[in-house]
Amino acid sequence: MPETALRICPLCEATCGLTLTIDDGRVVGARGDRDDVFSAGFICPKGASFPELDNDPDRLRAPLVRRDGVLTEATWEEAFAAMADGLGAVLREHGGASVGAYLGNPNAHTVAGALYPPLIIRGLGTRQVFSASTLDQMPKHVSLGLMFGSPVAFTVPDLDRTDYLVIIGANPLVSNGSLATAADFPGKLRALRKRGGRLVVIDPARTRTAELADRHLAPRPGTDAALLFAVAHVLFDEDLVALGALAEHVTGLDEVQALARDFAPDTVAGYCGVDAEEIRTLARELAAAPTAAVYGRMGTSTVEFGTLGSWLVDVVNVLTGNLDRPGGAMFPCSPVAPAPRGHRPGRGFVTGRWHSRVSGRPEALSELPVAVLAEEIETPGEGQIRAMITVAGNPVLSAPDGERLDRALESVGFMVSVDPYLNETTRHADVILPPPPPSRAPHFDFALNGLAVRNNARYSPPVLPLQGRPDEAEILSRIALVIYGLGHDADPALVDEQVIATTLAKETADAGSPVAGRSVDELTAMLPDGPGYERRLDMMLRLGAYGDAFGARPDGLTLQRLKDAPHGIDLGPLQPRLLDVLRTPSGRVELAPPALVDDTARLRDALGSPTEGFVLIGRRHLRSNNSWMHNLPALAGGTNRCTLRMHPDDAADLGVADTAVVKGAGGELVVPVEITEDIRRGVLSLPHGWGHDRAGTGQQLAAGAPGVNANQLNDGSVLDPLSGTAVLNGVPVTVGPTR
Ligand SMILES: Nc1nc2c(c(=O)[nH]1)N[C@H]1C(S)=C(S)[C@@H](COP(=O)(O)OP(=O)(O)OC[C@H]3O[C@@H](n4cnc5c(=O)[nH]c(N)nc54)[C@H](O)[C@@H]3O)O[C@H]1N2
Ligand SMILES: Nc1nc2c(c(=O)[nH]1)N[C@H]1C(S)=C(S)[C@@H](COP(=O)(O)OP(=O)(O)OC[C@H]3O[C@@H](n4cnc5c(=O)[nH]c(N)nc54)[C@H](O)[C@@H]3O)O[C@H]1N2
Ligand code: SF4
Ligand SMILES: [Mo]
């Protein structure tokens, strides 16, 4: 008899609740959970393909260990021992600082990815830390850190209540939203229009989101920061700045006004490729709207001026009085956010506390740019990377110049990958430790709950048993045990108990904590029996903003309460909470941080740069997810294809028909062309995550329709300097017909 089970979808940031059908010990169906407090039944094609993803025959079921040069199936004991030997040898000879770590995107979607990689990195004491963040949202972390004093003080558009939404450089109809967790983003945009609100989309491509908008501006890629500065210029110039309740909490207004003087709409119009009058209208409408929010994503972030653009999104939200008010841009409050301790200044946020060894790039958030990973492996000398740990990442396809990274990873002394697939990156590993499929893993959105447009808490325990294999928490714990010198066969529970002991010691000693002065032993005894990750989650919930404070607030959240509410607990609409999140030294919003003021000079200089020539931007597809969902029959083919989109006038000028040759600083590709009016002239778009034609990988369906690796056009030399983020949108290329 088929049964059903609930499981939060881990495949994108929307965090939809799924109802899975289980038959004969496997998942055979997935539909939206109508009773889910957050997603109310919404589902997309990827969520619907959960059974295929879970049962994919190409998923690794056993670990692989390299023997005589060949990756060979091994027992778990053999694989952990091989990991301990390989890693141990490098640790003894070169120390933890010689081990590099790359953390990929799904770490934001797993319990294990949230809880264990930080311990691995701390144990190594390495500065060679890389992640998908420097291909993604690092500019936002830096701008938030500089403005609010916390790099995770994310603002999200209050989608359900706003009157005027500006989406710049995002395509939530396809991506389902990012750094703004909202199940059914499409429905929420339609609801906005229905209640009389207005939607403006700023994107060089006429995306599905743009099609839904009242107005679509199509700027030249890479110019969002200048455009937003011009909006600020108009707000000052026409006396439309109105901080409202924010006024007493903001410093640096005059500096921003002075900076914005150089960015009059007429000054930036040619550079941005947008009519000056359009910019003025946008500014006036933003100011006039009862509430409004500007929301920026990949197209604003992964560009030459990514940190400036990410900052200016929030500057405009402040100038129009929309920061931290209902209908504006608000700070979500996650159930694992620490209980509020009131308004207190912090130490602020800085980058560049150390620099990459070879090309001297500054760290941001204790990470180095993934674009320098290859050179850090290749370049001999003190501090060279001698071993790599990758968890849930495929940088050979995700990061610039995969061919170079491919060679570098091949040369590294020892590599261990925690990944369910043998792919373009993990094929270089000496040991691959595959986690079980999502149906056999727990789920809690440690990161994404802090980005949700409505506060909520939901937990999914594993739906199916592990069948004798270790879960990802155990896999990562055993890596940590080796690094901490305890050996791979020590009890993995030690790792969690150590974290619990340290956290509770700190909390009980903190006068501002809800458990100040209580006994660590008493609190530890209150945690539930069960897996270590559940004990840690329970601890975090109880110490959190809605928590029961270990009994002191009896109605508060505990893990048991979440388990008793399988469709989740709604924690209400977003609430103003600026003073809780502010951690700047001044205790105010620092609107004009010196690092951003300085970088503005670079933007000013760029206004005069040439505007001809082609640039490449990215494109996402509804039935795709970065590099790793090209192996499922339900998602393959149709519109999910790796093609180059090009404007018909450009195609006619160049004589391009079915295929084109595209050249960039990193290489050359021959790609099928899709000619469409839905893209600005001079702009080409190509999705990333393709190029599944390398030998020795194990995704058969993907290899059958490999596509090309867009990132091979990019040599990774151009980064947003403050965040170290690779420029993935607005990459200069040349294009022509194939001969
Ligand atoms: N040109 C261009 N490049 C881009 C982008 C772009 O827009 N344009 N986007 C960038 C962005 S935003 C991102 S986030 C990066 C993504 O970059 P990466 O994170 O490096 O790449 P993914 O393709 O997401 O690879 C995810 C890996 O995780 C594995 N995986 C899946 N589930 C699990 C699990 O439960 N546990 C573990 N351990 N592993 C799992 C998959 O098999 C796969 O190997 O790509 C970036 N690259
Ligand atoms: N279906 C699907 N969903 C996904 C993913 C996926 O691969 N497939 N990936 C997930 C991940 S890891 C992430 S980070 C999110 C990303 O979520 P989004 O940021 O919403 O997704 P993108 O499609 O990268 O949207 C970026 C948009 O910016 C536009 N753009 C490019 N350059 C510029 C520019 O200079 N200025 C402006 N204004 N616009 C520009 C592009 O045309 C594109 O429409 O999506 C997530 N969801
Ligand atoms: S929108 Fe995202 S979370 Fe929702 S079903 Fe689709 S992939 Fe899963
Ligand atoms: Mo991403």
Side-chain angles (χ1 to χ4, degrees), residues 48-121:
S49 76
F50 187 102
E52 267 187 12
L53 178 110
D54 210 63
N55 297 313
D56 184 353
D58 287 343
R59 252 175 202 279
L60 299 175
R61 276 158 181 75
L64 301 182
V65 172
R66 193 171 296 281
R67 290 188 179 123
D68 301 323
V70 184
L71 281 168
T72 316
E73 276 198 13
T75 66
W76 280 98
E77 170 52 31
E78 287 164 347
F80 284 129
M83 175 272 293
D85 282 353
L87 206 52
V90 175
L91 289 172
R92 274 192 306 279
E93 205 173 325
H94 302 285
S98 74
V99 181
Y102 177 84
L103 305 175
N105 169 276
N107 284 298
H109 302 268
T110 64
V111 165
L115 296 182
Y116 301 94
L119 306 174
I120 290 177
I121 287 162

Side-chain angles (χ1 to χ4, degrees), residues 13 105 132 135-137 178 297-298 620 626:
E13 297 179 44
N105 169 276
L135 305 167
D136 187 347
Q137 84 287 3
S178 180
R297 261 319 264 129
M298 284 295 284
R620 284 178 155 76
N626 299 332

Side-chain angles (χ1 to χ4, degrees), residues 102 104-105 136 392 394 398 418-419 423 472 620 626-627 688 711:
Y102 177 84
N105 169 276
D136 187 347
N394 192 5
S398 316
V418 181
D419 202 289
N423 65 19
E472 190 161 6
R620 284 178 155 76
N626 299 332
S627 78
H688 72 285
N711 285 319

